Amino acid sequence: MNWKFFRGKRDPVWNEILDRIKGYNNDDHKSMLHLRIDEHTQIFLNQLKLATGIDITKIAAFAISELIRQHPELRTIVKQFLSKINE
């Protein structure tokens, strides 16, 4: 099923986030990461993939990228930790 079929029936905010995830380019990403998630999240991600056609790998990469972008203090925490190790 094509997720665009429901585009006009969804809240515009949904269209924005789905477009951002769909537009996220992870083609040049070479690193693999094994994630452990709870069963409910796995079910939801599978349903989201069916509803939108967006690959779960792309959703995970987008989510992690957004988390780091929205919380720059995480980079500061890592830098402080690494500087303490190197002392």
Side-chain angles (χ1 to χ4, degrees):
M1 178 181 292
N2 189 341
W3 69 279
K4 291 181 182 179
F5 174 76
F6 296 104
R7 178 178 276 284
K9 299 176 175 131
R10 290 192 310 244
D11 184 315
V13 173
W14 297 358
N15 291 332
E16 178 190 348
I17 189 67
L18 291 176
D19 288 343
R20 287 181 59 211
I21 295 170
K22 202 152 181 76
Y24 182 76
N25 185 2
N26 63 341
D27 292 340
D28 63 338
H29 298 178
K30 303 295 182 214
S31 299
M32 297 292 288
L33 182 64
H34 181 81
L35 300 174
R36 291 186 184 267
I37 56 176
D38 62 88
E39 184 179 355
H40 297 291
T41 303
Q42 178 64 40
I43 291 168
F44 171 76
L45 289 174
N46 287 335
Q47 291 171 343
L48 183 61
K49 181 180 179 186
L50 286 172
T52 64
I54 302 172
D55 185 60
I56 294 172
T57 303
K58 183 178 272 198
I59 294 168
F62 173 83
I64 294 167
S65 174
E66 283 295 298
L67 174 73
I68 293 169
R69 185 186 67 75
Q70 291 178 8
H71 297 282
E73 64 272 16
L74 294 172
R75 290 186 187 274
T76 303
I77 291 167
V78 171
K79 285 180 184 177
Q80 288 175 351
F81 174 78
L82 292 175
S83 69
K84 287 181 183 178
I85 288 177
N86 291 329
E87 289 179 352

